[in-house]
Amino acid sequence: MLTLHKRLLELAYEKEQLLIKGDMPAFTALVKEEAKLVRQIAQKEAERLQGLLVLDDEEKEALRPVLFELKRQNELNAALLEQSLNYINWHLDMLMPDADDFTYGQQAFETRSFSRDV
C-alpha cells in the first residue's frame, strides 16, 4: 500500500505542474492514471478491512507522513484548479457580456413613447 500511495503523491506533484502550465491534455491523461491508482488502493483497503492484508507497524508509520503530504498536495491542487476556473469564468464574462447589454431591456419600453407621429 505504501508504494501505491507514494505513486499517488508523485502524480499529485505532477498534477500541480500541469495545472500551473495549463496543459489540459496531459492533465486529463494524468487524472485517468490517478483514477486507476485510486481503484487499486481501494481494492487493497478492502482486503485490509477483510483481514486478507495486514500492515505491519513499520509500514503504518511510513504511510502516515505520505498520507499527510498527499492531503496537503491535494488541497493545493484543488485551490489551483479553483483559481483556474475562476480565471476562465472571468474571461468568459468579458467575452460574453450579459444579455441586457445587447437589448434595450424592459426599462426602454417603460420610459419611451412609441408613437409613429411625425
Side-chain angles (χ1 to χ4, degrees):
M1 288 221 0
L2 181 60
T3 306
L4 293 173
H5 281 87
K6 283 184 176 180
R7 178 63 185 137
L8 192 60
L9 182 58
E10 290 172 9
L11 291 179
Y13 290 137
E14 289 177 36
K15 189 188 287 187
E16 176 187 4
Q17 295 306 311
L18 293 175
L19 283 169
I20 291 170
K21 290 178 187 175
D23 187 351
M24 288 302 108
F27 181 81
T28 302
L30 188 138
V31 168
K32 289 178 183 177
E33 184 180 348
E34 185 181 55
K36 291 177 188 176
L37 198 54
V38 168
R39 281 192 300 272
Q40 290 175 353
I41 290 171
Q43 181 181 357
K44 292 289 185 184
E45 181 63 15
E47 291 173 9
R48 188 186 69 80
L49 291 173
Q50 293 172 358
L52 302 175
L53 176 68
V54 178
L55 301 177
D56 60 13
D57 290 338
E58 186 178 313
E59 188 171 9
K60 287 179 188 176
E61 286 303 314
L63 194 55
R64 201 165 280 150
V66 173
L67 291 174
F68 178 78
E69 179 62 17
L70 185 59
K71 181 177 188 243
R72 189 199 65 74
Q73 188 64 40
N74 282 339
E75 289 170 355
L76 174 62
N77 288 346
L80 287 171
L81 190 55
E82 185 174 347
Q83 185 180 32
S84 294
L85 289 173
N86 288 337
Y87 182 73
I88 290 168
N89 284 333
W90 178 77
H91 272 281
L92 286 175
D93 288 344
M94 296 301 288
L95 292 173
M96 299 177 3
D98 291 336
D100 291 343
D101 294 344
F102 294 114
T103 62
Y104 293 109
Q106 186 63 31
Q107 184 180 9
F109 290 112
E110 295 170 357
T111 59
R112 294 186 183 240
S113 168
F114 291 100
S115 170
R116 293 185 142 213
D117 295 339
V118 180

